[in-house]
Amino acid sequence: MSFPLVGNPSEEGCWTSQHDKKYSDVFRKHRHMETETVDLLIIGSGVAGLRAAIELAPYGNVLVVTKDMPKESSTEYAQGGIAVALSDEDKVGIHFEDTLKAGDGLCNENAVKILVEEGPRRILELISWGAEFDKEGTRLDFTIEGAHSRKRVLHAHGDSTGKELERVLLNKTRSFPSVKKYPFAFTVDLIVIDNECYGAYVLKERKICAILAKATILCTGGAGQIFSRTTNPLVATGDGMAIAFRAGAQLEDMEFIQFHPTSLYSPYAPQFLLSEAMRGEGAILKNVNKEPFMKDYHPNAELAPRDIVSRAIISEMVKTNSSHVYLDMMHLNSEFLRKRFPQIYSTCLQYNVDITSNLIPVSPAAHYIMGGVRTGVNGATSIKRLYAAGESACTGVHGANRLASNSLLEGLVYGARTGSAAYQSSSDIKNPAAVKEHVSEYTAAYHSIPEHDEIRMTLRKLMWDRVGIIRCADSLEKAKSKLSEWSFMLDKMFFTRRELELKNMLTVAMMITEAASLRKGSAGAHYRSDFPQKGKDWQKHIALAREDDRIKYSLE
Ligand code: SIN
């Protein structure tokens, strides 16, 4: 498959493959495929997927498939917290305004209104299911993060908020006999006929099987692994976005990637997230000359919006010719720090950094994708019976830049809404003969790419270097040209999770690069050094969809 670009303005790009023979090797013929039928299929087991499953459980049998262990999701690793307007000093309207401001003029206001209005109810429900958020005395303890004008971020066990959410939601799903989970089941493709989704093909126990469903919900999370520096877990390879795109769904706002300003920087350490809540509690950023710098970049200093902090860090790194800056917490009470950030404290200690008495080396890392499978506020995509929620979806709730700690709330609110909408629109399969034929024709042959790990590494570095925090026409063209060398794999079938992930990573990387090239201006987290202003038509959203072997884009 090649992907020429077509859209409303007259612009063309072409990704062709020249390496077909070099990398591909047909080695296996598919013979027979097992088929299983469920009422509702959920792909992914983070906060959005589990919350959708809970909503659907009373209405039919629900299958949650996940490519790893059920708890292995970005949710599990979320540290700082979950934003919600529940404190005495806060109001839903102020949370609304802060979210719009962070989104830099590109939020879907209706989606934000739903988020902030339905959020408190979803949090209270979670507490009634056993969630234990940290308290100050008997009252919930709220912290502040960048771009919030009030203390509104709930946290659990100090800095393990996501783990607590995942624990409670997994427990709750276990209380419904109607909810079944398949771990280590990798969704390869959706079953879509005439723009209607009937389930998915799943690789499980070294076999591909067809899972037929009356409605399918994608909750596969983000795509941070596309970048060589990321806070995301290994599972975040953009699978849901890629399979939806292959099936003909629209992807929107793909140029908007949030880079978290502070991940641990050490050649020996993983790029472990150092929560924004640390700056909320008073941590100061210093360059390698030990000079604080954030006040030179924004009046809110350390608590400026994330894109501004990340770019400020890059600028200091360039100025001082260094690979990192420091986070300084040494002026804060050490007992408080150990208690407030137990996970961060012990993880950093493993790499010889004591956050109470050392400067902490940090550098930005890809953290969150605001774009994803385009949906309405009930999770419906452009394909019938296909829904999406959470980081893999784009309702427009985050605009061009997500307000910190809004994503767990999004998973709860939109997971529940999407579950309910999917149930209401689910219906029996209209044309079982067509589905049977689709299943019998799927995957004639599998291929392998012996160099897939090498390509993965090169792709991740390419995306970080050329499509990272600061982009320009030249860097994006170079990225496109390199990505196109691997496009031979886009229409191939593979039989291992790593290769299938690589194909998905390539698809999503291409879409991010394409959208970043199309947006000739800077907004929120998308920064073009050649177009630092917002530019013409900046309030439009870029949607990309596959039509035959072309990418069609539209501005809306
Ligand atoms: C953090 O703790 O800094 C991450 C919170 C978020 O990304 O929402």
Side-chain angles (χ1 to χ4, degrees), residues 16 30 53 131 139 218 227 240 248 280 344 350 362 365 367 383 389 393 399 440-441 450 456 520 555:
T16 50
H30 169 76
R139 299 161 77 89
L218 293 170
F227 295 90
I344 294 173
Q350 287 172 33
V362 296
H367 185 57
I383 296 178
S440 68
E441 282 178 2
R456 181 186 282 236
K520 294 183 175 44
L555 297 178

Side-chain angles (χ1 to χ4, degrees), residues 77-83 145 148 153 159 161 231 258 260-262 273-279 306 341 344 367-368 402-408:
Y77 296 92
Q79 292 179 2
I82 182 159
E145 290 183 352
H148 286 271
V153 180
D159 52 6
T161 315
T231 61
Q258 183 172 79
H260 198 289
T262 56
L273 175 67
L274 296 174
S275 176
E276 185 146 329
M278 296 168 85
R279 281 174 281 131
R306 279 186 186 169
F341 300 109
I344 294 173
H367 185 57
Y368 190 89
R402 178 183 62 100
L403 183 67
S405 289
N406 261 356
S407 43
L408 291 177

Side-chain angles (χ1 to χ4, degrees), residues 34-257:
E34 273 173 32
T35 301
E36 176 173 348
T37 303
V38 296
D39 290 325
L40 300 142
L41 173 63
I42 297 174
I43 305 169
S45 58
V47 54
L50 296 178
R51 187 58 194 82
I54 292 164
E55 201 65 19
L56 288 167
Y59 304 110
N61 60 66
V62 181
L63 176 62
V64 181
V65 296
T66 175
K67 69 177 176 180
D68 209 289
M69 294 291 287
K71 74 180 174 68
E72 194 56 29
S73 65
S74 292
T75 299
E76 176 75 9
Y77 296 92
Q79 292 179 2
I82 182 159
V84 65
L86 273 175
S87 80
D88 293 344
E89 66 174 51
D90 203 4
K91 288 197 170 62
V92 155
I94 309 177
H95 189 187
F96 176 78
E97 289 301 332
D98 287 352
T99 303
L100 293 191
K101 206 163 154 205
D104 206 11
L106 277 152
C107 290
N108 170 346
E109 293 199 8
N110 187 32
V112 178
K113 192 163 174 288
I114 289 169
L115 177 83
V116 298
E117 284 181 353
E118 294 185 10
R121 176 157 65 95
R122 292 293 165 221
I123 294 290
L124 296 176
E125 175 184 72
L126 201 70
I127 293 173
S128 77
W129 294 342
E132 289 178 11
F133 291 110
D134 296 336
K135 290 190 174 150
E136 179 86 59
T138 55
R139 299 161 77 89
L140 289 169
D141 184 31
F142 294 89
T143 191
I144 194 160
E145 290 183 352
H148 286 271
S149 64
R150 294 288 187 280
K151 281 188 161 193
R152 69 164 67 92
V153 180
L154 283 176
H155 43 94
H157 312 295
D159 52 6
S160 298
T161 315
K163 207 184 267 302
E164 177 64 2
L165 254 72
E166 193 72 16
R167 178 189 73 78
V168 171
L169 292 170
L170 275 171
N171 268 347
K172 185 76 185 165
T173 57
R174 285 185 199 114
S175 71
F176 296 102
S178 54
V179 178
K180 187 162 75 170
K181 298 186 191 83
Y182 285 164
F184 299 104
F186 186 96
T187 302
V188 180
D189 271 315
L190 296 165
I191 304 173
V192 173
I193 304 167
D194 296 335
N195 204 42
E196 197 150 347
C197 182
Y198 296 98
Y201 296 107
V202 169
L203 174 64
K204 179 173 151 280
E205 290 165 7
R206 298 194 52 79
K207 276 196 283 209
I208 300 258
C209 61
I211 298 179
L212 307 184
K214 294 174 185 170
T216 302
I217 309 181
L218 293 170
C219 303
T220 49
Q225 285 296 325
I226 284 167
F227 295 90
S228 56
R229 284 198 63 80
T230 181
T231 61
N232 290 188
L234 289 172
V235 290
T237 51
D239 303 317
M241 297 170 206
I243 60 175
F245 178 79
R246 277 205 289 283
Q250 283 186 318
L251 301 183
E252 188 170 70
D253 288 350
M254 294 298 283
E255 67 275 35
F256 297 120
I257 308 289

